[in-house]
Amino acid sequence: MNDVTDLAPDLALALELADLADAVSLTRYRAVDLDVSTKPDRSFVTEADLAVERAIRDRLAAARPDDGIFGEEFGTEGDATRQWIIDPIDGTANFLRGVPVWGSLISLAVDRTPVVGVASAPALGRRWWAATGMGAWTQAPTAELGASEGETQGAGGAVPGARRIRVSRVNELADAALSFQSIAQWRDAGYLDQLLQLSQRVWRDRAYGDLWSYMLLAEGLIDIVAEFDVKPYDLAALVPIVEEAGGRFTSITGEPGPWHGSALATNGSLHEAVLEVLPAVATTADGGDGGN
């Protein structure tokens, strides 16, 4: 595994790629002539999804020619030992409707472990990033985060307005806030009864959706995020951000990493309690199609 010093250039490149992605996507956000089509899995893809991923791939080809790439729109190329995992626009359905909750997800996985992650949501004016051993960070107006929060050093020190983020200290389900993302996901996976049981155990349940839920978790504003029907590119960038903020990230059935078709992210303290409420069912939680 790379050490902190090794990952610093990769994190810097990931942030540069996020700048590039934002510049491309924002030019087509709420465009009246936005080109939209439907993929074979019936999910949407826009011209902006394709353009963002092409731009990122072109930059990686120049900056990291020996690294592999796994992207939502153009698949896999190159070596998987060091693999950049790209979701050009997470929340495409929001993007094409003009809802501002969407963003680009950029991750570097080394030996299938995500070690760098950037989630950039330009329509919200927000960005989050992390690298293993370097903490989790966000960039937002001081008034939004609070002047007393965070630190302006380490991995965020080179980014103006960077502040370190941490998960909550909530340790009882009865005090926890849950984002379940989509009732249809839970129903189709055969877990609707478990969702209802979990919702009855927590203080508050909502469906914030897409990357936004995980970033609220990493900032300590909610405590549990769980969903089905996701691909590795939907999750890989989120894993190091949640974990470096002090949280835990597995599948619904407890397997680590973004590879299992479902996700359970918590502040860590609540993880085992949530897993106990979500026992495996006959319908597998793994292998679902990617969300968009």
Side-chain angles (χ1 to χ4, degrees):
M1 179 62 66
N2 291 13
D3 62 25
V4 171
T5 302
D6 291 334
L7 291 177
D10 293 316
L11 177 58
L13 176 59
L15 290 167
E16 177 189 333
L17 295 173
D19 288 340
L20 179 62
D22 290 355
V24 174
S25 60
L26 280 175
T27 63
R28 301 305 294 156
Y29 178 52
R30 294 184 176 173
V32 296
D33 60 344
L34 180 71
D35 184 61
V36 182
S37 58
T38 303
K39 294 189 284 190
D41 65 359
R42 297 185 297 176
S43 63
F44 294 112
V45 61
T46 74
E47 62 183 270
D49 294 84
L50 302 176
V52 169
E53 186 166 327
R54 287 192 192 102
I56 291 174
R57 285 175 176 267
D58 287 348
R59 180 69 185 103
L60 284 171
R64 296 288 190 277
D66 296 328
D67 290 357
I69 304 174
F70 173 24
E72 178 175 8
E73 307 306 337
F74 298 109
T76 303
E77 63 179 78
D79 184 15
T81 302
R82 279 178 48 94
Q83 184 179 63
W84 293 87
I85 304 176
I86 310 299
D87 188 347
I89 297 181
D90 180 61
T92 297
N94 284 343
F95 181 89
L96 65 88
R97 288 295 300 270
V99 177
V101 182
W102 55 270
S104 296
L105 302 179
I106 300 162
S107 177
L108 172 65
V110 178
D111 296 327
R112 291 177 58 86
T113 299
V115 294
V116 171
V118 177
S120 192
L124 295 174
R126 296 297 308 273
R127 182 177 291 181
W128 303 262
W129 64 94
T132 301
M134 300 175 71
W137 301 79
T138 191
Q139 185 180 33
T142 300
E144 182 174 338
L145 286 179
S148 64
E149 292 189 36
E151 303 167 7
T152 54
Q153 58 184 351
V159 180
R163 293 183 177 274
R164 193 160 186 172
I165 55 176
R166 296 179 177 85
V167 296
S168 74
R169 296 180 181 178
V170 172
N171 57 19
E172 298 289 343
L173 285 178
D175 300 321
L178 159 72
S179 180
F180 59 84
Q181 307 293 71
S182 162
I183 288 176
Q185 291 179 350
W186 291 74
R187 180 197 63 216
D188 294 347
Y191 273 74
L192 186 55
D193 287 343
Q194 286 90 331
L195 173 59
L196 294 175
Q197 292 173 31
L198 182 59
S199 69
Q200 292 168 1
R201 297 280 301 276
V202 300
W203 166 59
R204 180 180 173 90
D205 63 90
R206 293 290 185 273
Y208 297 105
D210 301 308
L211 77 164
W212 183 231
S213 294
Y214 296 91
M215 300 303 94
L216 291 174
L217 170 71
E219 290 188 32
L221 304 178
I222 65 175
D223 315 295
I224 305 163
V225 182
E227 66 176 324
F228 295 87
D229 193 25
V230 283
K231 294 292 189 181
Y233 45 72
D234 297 311
L235 304 175
L238 310 176
V239 173
I241 299 173
V242 168
E243 292 182 343
E244 285 295 305
R248 185 175 169 192
F249 203 118
T250 70
S251 70
I252 291 288
T253 48
E255 299 93 343
W259 309 102
H260 308 288
S262 66
L264 171 62
T266 74
N267 65 356
S269 300
L270 297 169
H271 211 85
E272 293 301 325
V274 177
L275 287 173
E276 289 178 7
V277 182
L278 302 176
V281 295
T283 301
T284 180
D286 291 354
D289 294 332
N292 85 82

